[in-house]
Amino acid sequence: MSSTDTHTGLFITFEGGDSCGKSTQIALTKQWLEERGVAPLLTREPGGTELGEKLRELIIHGPDDMDPHTEALLYSAQRAYHMETKVLPALHRGEVVLQDRYLDSSVAYQGAARALGVDEILQLNLWAVRGLLPDVTIFLDLDPEVAFERRTGEPDRLEREPNSFQHRVREQYYELSKTYADRYRVIDASGDIESVQQQIRRALEPLVEEHLRANKVGNA
Ligand SMILES: Nc1ncnc2c1ncn2[C@@H]1O[C@H](COP(=O)(O)OP(=O)(O)OP(=O)(O)O)[C@@H](O)[C@H]1O
Ligand SMILES: [Mg+2]
């Protein structure tokens, strides 16, 4: 399914396994854009809206007997609402959206790691969002063992999965980076925070430039 939607925004998603540095890098990317006169919308999945945050709580800290199908449908439900009420309107206003996780996460976690079927989960989510794909996806690639060392706080429901689960997630992101080579930027997330951020800025620079020129905003 492909989207018939056209918008003048720039839709940037950040993907990767647990604790790979997404939140840290999104915050720094936001700073970089603000220095250039752009005020990006920062949002996340699951969550991003009041309803979405309630669903996030149910998904991440829900009962141990939540079955994979229920989990996958809750993710796609919050995603449909998030896109419809928050992200798409921003993209139609021509804004830059920095989003922490999107449908690739469902494909990797539920489709591959939970073995619900990569194609089925992709189709379910494309249906939920009317086929809208990001303009660019920053994949923060990190060995799950290294990511585990970075983790702080109590593990949530998905973080309690065995290490093999995180390895299946990583493998599926590699597959997605080949399937969607045009929009994927694979970033080595093993370095320090600054060096990872430099890689991200280099990867985004041409698209941001083009967006600013086309929309005649910021310091293009
Ligand atoms: N390049 C890095 N090197 C070392 N530590 C890092 C690096 N990037 C982030 N961290 C630290 O690792 C921890 C996890 O980072 P962060 O919360 O950004 O990851 P995340 O991908 O958003 O995690 P989650 O999947 O839980 O949302 C934080 O304590 C953060 O300060
Ligand atoms: Mg995070």
Side-chain angles (χ1 to χ4, degrees):
M1 191 204 287
S2 67
S3 175
T4 51
D5 188 77
T6 51
H7 62 76
T8 53
L10 181 61
F11 185 24
I12 304 171
T13 58
F14 289 73
E15 295 282 354
D18 298 343
S19 304
C20 64
K22 297 178 298 301
S23 301
T24 305
Q25 295 301 331
I26 289 173
L28 293 170
T29 306
K30 180 171 186 268
Q31 266 179 30
W32 172 59
L33 289 170
E34 283 171 351
E35 284 159 16
R36 307 186 58 165
V38 182
L41 173 70
L42 200 156
T43 190
R44 69 171 181 176
E45 289 190 357
T49 62
E50 201 181 327
L51 174 66
E53 291 296 333
K54 283 182 184 156
L55 287 170
R56 178 188 178 93
E57 195 56 28
L58 291 173
I59 298 167
I60 293 181
H61 300 292
D64 286 337
D65 67 353
M66 187 187 297
D67 62 287
H69 289 80
T70 304
E71 180 183 288
L73 288 163
L74 287 173
Y75 274 118
S76 58
Q78 63 79 32
R79 181 162 297 127
Y81 182 74
H82 181 230
M83 293 307 288
E84 185 64 26
T85 62
K86 187 171 181 184
V87 176
L88 260 181
L91 293 173
H92 281 290
R93 290 193 299 268
E95 293 180 22
V96 178
V97 176
L98 298 178
Q99 184 162 317
D100 194 336
R101 295 197 180 281
Y102 188 44
L103 47 71
D104 303 87
S105 286
S106 283
V107 173
Y109 282 75
Q110 281 70 49
R114 292 244 192 262
L116 288 180
V118 163
D119 285 342
E120 286 86 343
I121 295 299
L122 179 61
Q123 292 309 321
L124 169 69
N125 280 279
L126 285 173
W127 176 78
V129 301
R130 288 84 156 162
L132 186 81
L133 289 171
D135 296 304
V136 58
T137 296
I138 299 292
F139 165 39
L140 297 175
D141 181 34
L142 187 62
D143 182 335
E145 273 80 29
V146 178
F148 186 84
E149 296 299 320
R150 288 185 186 175
R151 205 175 67 196
T152 53
E154 284 300 300
D156 63 36
R157 222 170 51 79
L158 279 98
E159 287 170 344
R160 286 199 296 272
E161 291 294 332
N163 238 339
S164 55
F165 184 90
Q166 290 293 335
H167 281 281
R168 290 199 295 279
V169 167
R170 189 186 198 190
E171 287 304 315
Q172 187 56 45
Y173 276 124
Y174 287 145
E175 289 301 314
L176 284 164
S177 72
K178 286 183 241 161
T179 306
Y180 294 109
D182 282 356
R183 74 170 158 99
Y184 256 74
R185 304 290 183 274
V186 182
I187 303 291
D188 176 0
S190 66
D192 61 30
I193 290 172
E194 285 309 311
S195 72
V196 175
Q197 179 61 200
Q198 287 313 316
Q199 287 183 70
I200 292 172
R201 290 180 185 189
R202 271 199 300 276
L204 292 179
E205 179 72 36
L207 280 150
V208 169
E209 278 289 326
E210 191 188 316
H211 173 78
L212 294 182
R213 252 198 314 274
N215 288 270
K216 294 190 175 55
V217 289
N219 315 318

